Amino acid sequence: MNILVCLKQTFDTEERIAIEDGQISEEGVEFVVNPYDEYAVEEAIRLRDEHGGEVTVITIGPERAEQALRTAMAMGADKGIIVDDEDLESPDENSIAKILASVIGDLEYDIILGGYMAVDDGSAQVGPRLAELLEIPHIATITKLTIDGDRVEVEKDVEGDIEYIESKLPILVTAQQGLNEPRYPSLPGIMKAKKKPLERMDIDDLDIDEDELEGRTETLETYLPPAKEAGKILEGDLDVQAKELVKLLRSEAKVI
Amino acid sequence: MNFDLTEEQKMIRKLMRDFSEGEVAPGADERDRTKTFPVEIFRKMADLNLMGLPFPEEYGGGGADTTSFAIAVEELSRVCASAGITYSAHVSLGCAPLYLFGTEKQKKQYLTPLCQGESMGAFGLTEAGAGSDAGGTRTTATRDSEGWLINGSKCFITNASYAKFLALTAVTNRTEAGPEITAFIADTDSPGFRVIDNYTKLGLHSSNTTELVLENVRVPEDAILGEIGQGFKQFLITLDGGRIGIGAMAVGIAQGAYELALKYAKERTQFGTSLSKFQVIQHKLADMAMNIELARTMVYKAAWLKDQGKKFTKEASMCKLFASEIAMKVCDQAVQIHGGYGYMHDYKVERFFRDVKLTEIGEGTSEIQRMVIAREIGC
């Protein structure tokens, strides 16, 4: 079974976000594999161990993003592809999905996995867009995956409920928390990761019209959420409190 | 000059950070209270092949370097110093002498199971009358037609309750120049070999510290580790490496205590503002951050020298001495910043404060480190 995993290197979730010149500063920041993509990598390794085949991890990003692929390789992925995004101007989900589709178009695959969203942009778009471009079915936010022959059974998280879905290979699925418990990379895994094959590509290497890659969205402003202010505690009888609450919701919060 | 960690070292740090926070930290307070040895943690570390981290793969090791070993000890100690010392002693006192002085047969027979986590590593040197002064060693090994008979006792031996075998030192001859000390490998389940786990300690409550009593323990002729009469010299070489481990342990404890103090100082409000806005508290935290950074840099330097195959005796002593003394101060001030809460078990710095003292004592006291450094600079 040929298994592809699309992953993104993101800020460590513990990092403090700082904005400099209207942009998020990357100075001194630790980067990690996007946590949802970690579930995808883990599931891919389990599928390979059960059905045989190979796990290829793919990312688009700057040079440092190689570390994310090496981490996936330390967990057990077999090989990697990194596409340098240096030549891209303000890429968005449209650009990323098209590049991935171009890279993957030349590969043989039975299943593609990814996290359902990246914790930085949080758009949750790249997976479904990629599947549409490749013209294969996709199921997002899965919490269980079973493959038997070319039959695919999935449990999908729908806002706290579960949908049971059947489909067929080839397919793209995106991982929700709960799909599995990602393993720690073992020490031998870490020591071997550097020796696993890694293919480097530039946008120029792809059979793709660069104009098509332009972002379709524009970022107008990047700003931090307003500092949290102390909450208000209402006093008095329940009646008085309820009246006060309605008044405040109407006049101060202006939500009703 | 390059202060960057290698890719492998970075990944090992991330692994050890995640593992320590995910598997080691959650039960640390409970284990401290109940004095429970974390068997399960070391089984999980064995599954990740971490128990033989800096030793070659042919002996079941991980093939990583000394810097990575220091990182692993630091990360464990940052959340649980007992786990840190257990691991450090396993690698640098248990495995290292077998790797450095063992025959090929001994390495296959003893080092491999240690690297695979089938036994914890331990070393029996200290006795009631012989710690830093090995000349006071009373344990004897007497040769007869069938091998050696060992008699005597050892104290403060880390990990021995969980060791299937260990190396220990014994006097094989007494000459005018002093006792001739030789290292032997003995099975801990040999007749006459007792391991007594009965100390009441200041800290490191979930580490295993034991007394060994040997009454006519028989070992074969080929149980000698290294050479006859070289036991003490071999042990000094072993300790050089061990000091990097204790230095890393001190850095980890200090880092853990400092992070708790910084977090508390930001959260705790007095006189209408958080503690971290008071200059007196800021200066304490700044000193902590500075000293920890310096200590860590020295630990890495000693580890780097060792990996380069260069002499590192002086630097190992310096890193151990400096790191343990600043760690002691950091834990003291971390409790101080916590005020009354710092005196309570629930706020964790109380545990760090008790645990850290060992780093100024184990594998050579601060006084001995100063002697080593003085000798190395030509006094």
Side-chain angles (χ1 to χ4, degrees):
Chain A
M1 183 180 284
N2 287 312
I3 307 158
L4 309 182
V5 181
C6 304
L7 63 84
K8 182 178 187 180
Q9 191 188 39
T10 55
F11 268 48
D12 190 329
T13 45
E14 310 247 317
E15 288 293 344
R16 210 167 4 145
I17 310 286
I19 294 186
E20 266 171 39
D21 303 327
Q23 295 213 317
I24 295 170
S25 167
E26 294 188 354
E27 189 66 37
V29 165
E30 295 279 337
F31 289 90
V32 297
V33 175
N34 172 40
Y36 292 103
D37 296 342
E38 262 190 358
Y39 300 123
V41 172
E42 174 64 35
E43 198 66 16
I45 293 167
R46 290 184 192 191
L47 284 176
R48 181 208 49 205
D49 292 348
E50 191 186 335
H51 301 281
E54 241 181 8
V55 175
T56 306
V57 283
I58 306 169
T59 196
I60 301 168
E63 214 177 314
R64 61 167 159 74
E66 180 184 331
Q67 187 80 35
L69 294 184
R70 296 294 179 196
T71 301
M73 289 175 181
M75 288 171 73
D78 300 288
K79 53 187 188 176
I81 300 171
I82 180 166
V83 184
D84 196 312
D85 68 353
E86 212 177 340
D87 296 336
L88 285 175
E89 272 181 49
S90 55
D92 65 4
E93 292 77 8
N94 170 61
S95 335
I96 299 299
K98 280 187 177 149
I99 296 167
L100 285 173
S102 173
V103 173
I104 291 170
D106 296 333
L107 303 176
E108 279 183 30
Y109 61 87
D110 299 289
I111 185 165
I112 304 173
L113 296 108
Y116 94 89
M117 69 162 189
V119 292
D120 49 9
D121 295 335
S123 74
Q125 287 189 31
V126 172
R129 277 175 179 270
L130 173 60
E132 287 298 312
L133 291 169
L134 295 171
E135 297 178 341
I136 57 171
H138 64 84
I139 307 170
T141 61
I142 67 163
T143 52
K144 192 172 181 210
L145 175 65
T146 318
I147 296 177
D148 185 7
D150 68 345
R151 213 171 100 108
V152 179
E153 278 180 30
V154 158
E155 289 181 17
K156 173 185 164 74
D157 171 53
V158 278
E159 306 283 324
D161 253 324
I162 300 173
E163 255 178 32
Y164 297 86
I165 306 174
E166 268 182 42
S167 186
K168 276 189 169 172
L169 296 179
I171 193 169
L172 183 147
V173 292
T174 65
Q176 168 67 299
Q177 187 174 10
L179 177 61
N180 53 46
E181 190 63 49
R183 70 194 63 196
Y184 296 108
S186 72
L187 182 59
I190 289 173
M191 301 308 286
K192 273 185 230 137
K194 211 163 143 186
K195 295 175 198 125
K196 290 187 176 174
L198 178 80
E199 190 180 348
R200 295 181 167 283
M201 298 175 108
D202 286 321
I203 303 296
D204 296 343
D205 299 330
L206 300 170
D207 181 21
I208 195 167
D209 181 358
E210 279 198 36
D211 294 341
E212 291 225 349
L213 296 182
E214 223 167 90
R216 299 269 175 93
T217 51
E218 194 186 338
T219 303
L220 300 177
E221 196 190 346
T222 304
Y223 56 92
L224 293 172
K228 214 173 170 183
E229 285 172 33
K232 204 174 264 183
I233 297 171
L234 303 176
E235 286 176 9
D237 293 341
L238 282 182
D239 271 3
V240 180
Q241 284 191 34
K243 274 181 194 150
E244 179 71 8
L245 180 61
V246 170
K247 200 183 101 193
L248 288 172
L249 286 173
R250 198 188 297 274
S251 62
E252 212 176 287
K254 294 182 175 141
V255 293
I256 53 172
Chain B
M1 275 304 256
N2 183 359
F3 281 101
D4 278 335
L5 297 178
T6 65
E7 258 182 48
E8 284 86 2
Q9 289 161 352
K10 278 185 206 161
M11 277 198 252
I12 289 169
R13 186 177 63 181
K14 172 88 169 67
L15 163 64
M16 290 311 301
R17 173 64 59 100
D18 291 347
F19 183 84
S20 298
E21 291 188 344
E23 314 292 331
V24 185
D29 288 332
E30 173 72 14
R31 289 194 302 272
D32 176 62
R33 269 197 307 276
T34 55
K35 302 183 165 60
T36 312
F37 184 81
V39 175
E40 187 62 10
I41 286 170
F42 292 102
R43 194 191 57 72
K44 286 179 185 167
M45 285 183 69
D47 289 345
L48 297 170
N49 218 338
L50 289 163
M51 297 310 282
L53 185 141
F55 302 105
E57 286 161 32
E58 56 179 311
Y59 305 117
D65 57 13
T66 309
T67 307
S68 301
F69 163 65
I71 289 168
V73 174
E74 180 189 333
E75 290 298 336
L76 288 171
S77 306
R78 177 177 161 270
V79 300
C80 175
S82 290
I85 184 122
T86 303
Y87 181 67
S88 182
H90 167 82
V91 169
S92 60
L93 300 184
C95 301
L98 294 165
Y99 175 61
L100 291 169
F101 310 112
T103 61
E104 198 52 35
K105 185 171 164 243
Q106 287 170 335
K107 286 185 202 178
K108 289 264 183 270
Q109 189 179 350
Y110 296 112
L111 180 57
T112 303
L114 288 182
C115 288
Q116 291 173 341
E118 289 164 22
S119 167
M120 293 303 294
F123 199 116
L125 173 81
T126 305
E127 297 185 9
S132 304
D133 174 14
T137 302
R138 293 273 171 275
T139 299
T140 58
T142 329
R143 197 177 226 153
D144 64 13
S145 57
E146 291 166 58
W148 299 84
L149 273 180
I150 305 176
N151 279 286
S153 65
K154 300 281 174 183
C155 61
F156 311 146
I157 307 306
T158 305
N159 289 346
S161 300
Y162 300 89
K164 292 181 177 162
F165 48 84
L166 51 76
L168 54 86
T169 49
V171 176
T172 42
N173 196 6
R174 288 195 187 274
T175 65
E176 277 182 22
E180 175 194 271
I181 294 172
T182 305
F184 293 88
I185 304 170
D187 291 340
T188 49
D189 63 358
S190 305
F193 198 135
R194 276 189 300 148
V195 179
I196 304 162
D197 173 12
N198 197 30
Y199 287 116
T200 306
K201 296 181 288 184
L202 171 66
L204 298 175
H205 285 164
S206 64
S207 79
N208 174 246
T209 312
T210 65
E211 230 176 318
L212 311 180
V213 178
L214 298 98
E215 286 167 339
N216 287 323
V217 172
R218 176 159 292 288
V219 297
E221 180 61 36
D222 63 2
I224 291 172
L225 176 62
E227 289 173 39
I228 289 192
Q230 296 297 305
F232 187 61
K233 203 174 139 205
Q234 289 168 198
F235 199 73
L236 288 183
I237 295 168
T238 304
L239 272 187
D240 282 348
R243 283 167 187 160
I244 296 174
I246 302 296
M249 177 187 166
V251 170
I253 298 172
Q255 179 72 29
Y258 155 74
E259 285 176 22
L260 289 167
L262 178 62
K263 183 166 171 277
Y264 184 81
K266 285 178 172 174
E267 287 168 2
R268 169 79 167 171
T269 302
Q270 288 287 274
F271 306 105
T273 180
S274 70
L275 290 188
S276 64
K277 297 294 174 218
F278 291 103
Q279 196 177 47
V280 67
I281 302 294
Q282 289 177 347
H283 285 187
K284 284 183 199 290
L285 289 163
D287 282 348
M288 289 182 183
M290 171 186 72
N291 280 321
I292 293 167
E293 190 74 32
L294 290 172
R296 182 181 294 114
T297 306
M298 196 63 212
V299 169
Y300 286 179
K301 182 174 179 190
W304 180 83
L305 284 170
K306 182 168 189 284
D307 286 332
Q308 299 298 311
K310 300 185 187 204
K311 191 163 162 49
F312 64 98
T313 302
K314 182 180 70 181
E315 288 76 7
S317 271
M318 283 179 169
C319 85
K320 195 265 189 188
L321 173 61
F322 185 76
S324 59
E325 291 194 345
I326 68 101
M328 195 70 203
K329 280 188 219 154
V330 166
C331 291
D332 174 45
Q333 290 302 304
V335 172
Q336 194 66 25
I337 288 172
H338 279 73
Y341 292 107
Y343 203 71
M344 299 297 143
H345 182 74
D346 293 352
Y347 282 74
K348 296 193 196 305
V349 286
E350 176 261 0
R351 168 162 59 89
F352 285 72
F353 182 82
R354 284 184 285 108
D355 288 351
V356 72
K357 184 62 196 174
L358 183 278
T359 63
E360 289 189 312
I361 296 169
E363 304 194 28
T365 60
S366 295
E367 291 70 27
I368 291 294
Q369 305 308 326
R370 289 189 164 85
M371 274 171 60
V372 172
I373 296 166
R375 193 161 58 222
E376 290 292 318
I377 61 174
C379 289

